[in-house]
Amino acid sequence: MLKIFFVLLFSFVFGSSAFAAGPDMTGLTTSVDFGTVTTAVLAIAGMLAVVYVAVKGASIGLAMLRSK
């Protein structure tokens, strides 16, 4: 029982400080340019918005023609 207590005490004292700073990823993140990815995602979102607006407009127009 005493052995388990010391193992837990050791892991709490030294285990929590091992990951306190976190990994350093600056070497990976500085070489990646997210500008082109952001532009591509926004372009796709814009194209989808145009398609949805066109479909909605067509359905509203057809509903107006049918309601006569």
Side-chain angles (χ1 to χ4, degrees):
M1 183 72 177
L2 189 60
K3 187 186 274 188
I4 293 173
F5 174 73
F6 283 121
V7 168
L8 288 174
L9 180 65
F10 181 78
S11 65
F12 283 133
V13 170
F14 293 106
S16 63
S17 64
F19 296 106
D24 184 22
M25 300 286 188
T26 55
L28 294 172
T29 56
T30 55
S31 63
V32 177
D33 180 26
F34 291 106
T36 56
V37 174
T38 304
T39 304
V41 169
L42 288 175
I44 292 170
M47 287 188 300
L48 288 174
V50 167
V51 169
Y52 289 143
V53 167
V55 168
K56 186 65 173 179
S59 67
I60 289 172
L62 289 175
M64 288 178 163
L65 289 175
R66 279 190 223 141
S67 68
K68 184 180 180 202

